[in-house]
Amino acid sequence: MMQYILIRVTGLILLIFLSACQLSPSKPGGEIAVERELSPEIIKLYQQGLHLMKIENDEAAFKVFKSVSQQDDSLSGPYVNRGLIYLRANDKNKAKAEFLGAVERNSKNATALNQLGVLSREEGDIESAKSNYQAALQADPGHANAHLNMGILCDIYLQDKPCAMKHYKSYQVLRPGDESINNWIIDLQEQL
């Protein structure tokens, strides 16, 4: 029994680490979601920044996203991507400032809200983490990482097993190839 508990705790710690380290947007492509037409130059520049991030040329990507903001500061995407770059550099304070900047420009930016939730959880502010994850899921019910993070929050921090199950299952539907979540669901079913 003790070995079982040790394995579960170790696995949950690993899940927390992986969800906190998730630096890619929930949806592939990193499209700019706006309700107006953007210039082809901004679109091309933004796509260039995404490519530079993908190949981990973060310094160049950061400059490109800064340039996009200089041309149109109403876009939240460049702020999110600069925040993700700061996270890769382990500068959580600057990352948080960028995510807050993204939410100021678009209160429904699910990736920024999810990342603010992760940072809040790491700071021990569980209520803020919960609020940010809920806002991310309200903005985008298909945001897989927000479901995973909410599941972990419910499972470990809030001890709300039905809530954890709901979000783990939602994550499983959105990311069917993630085998580790299957084990967590089976384990959680035994506890309910």
Side-chain angles (χ1 to χ4, degrees):
M1 181 68 171
M2 189 59 142
Q3 183 180 14
Y4 169 78
I5 292 170
L6 184 60
I7 291 170
R8 175 149 169 77
V9 169
T10 303
L12 284 171
I13 290 170
L14 180 62
L15 257 177
I16 289 170
F17 176 76
L18 292 174
S19 69
C21 291
Q22 180 65 32
L23 296 181
S24 62
S26 178
K27 294 182 178 181
E31 296 87 9
I32 305 175
V34 293
E35 294 183 8
R36 60 183 167 77
E37 187 124 354
L38 295 174
S39 73
E41 296 81 25
I42 285 184
I43 293 171
K44 184 178 178 181
L45 201 55
Y46 191 84
Q47 290 172 338
Q48 178 187 6
L50 291 175
H51 173 73
L52 290 166
M53 275 184 78
K54 185 176 180 179
I55 63 171
E56 297 184 22
N57 188 344
D58 289 343
E59 187 177 332
F62 190 90
K63 289 177 183 176
V64 168
F65 290 126
K66 199 70 168 165
S67 177
V68 171
S69 290
Q70 288 169 344
Q71 292 182 40
D72 186 346
D73 196 42
S74 69
L75 301 173
S76 64
Y79 283 84
V80 170
N81 290 317
R82 289 194 304 265
L84 295 173
I85 290 168
Y86 278 130
L87 280 182
R88 271 204 275 231
N90 203 29
D91 192 335
K92 294 178 182 178
N93 290 329
K94 288 182 180 176
K96 185 175 184 176
E98 293 290 346
F99 296 135
L100 288 170
V103 172
E104 284 176 17
R105 282 147 185 83
N106 177 2
S107 64
K108 295 182 181 193
N109 188 309
T111 299
L113 291 163
N114 179 60
Q115 290 300 331
L116 286 169
V118 170
L119 292 171
S120 294
R121 183 184 72 206
E122 290 175 354
E123 294 169 352
D125 187 350
I126 303 308
E127 285 305 311
S128 180
K130 181 180 177 182
S131 175
N132 279 302
Y133 296 146
Q134 288 173 332
L137 291 169
Q138 186 175 12
D140 180 3
H143 196 286
N145 292 334
H147 278 292
L148 177 61
N149 288 323
M150 187 66 165
I152 291 169
L153 190 78
C154 290
D155 193 4
I156 297 172
Y157 297 91
L158 302 174
Q159 297 297 305
D160 183 346
K161 303 305 180 183
C163 171
M165 180 66 78
K166 172 187 168 190
H167 290 286
Y168 286 159
K169 284 188 172 187
S170 294
Y171 176 80
Q172 182 184 42
V173 167
L174 295 165
R175 298 273 171 85
D178 188 343
E179 291 297 321
S180 63
I181 200 69
N182 297 336
N183 296 329
W184 294 110
I185 289 172
I186 291 168
D187 185 48
L188 201 54
Q189 284 173 332
E190 293 174 6
Q191 296 176 41
L192 291 174

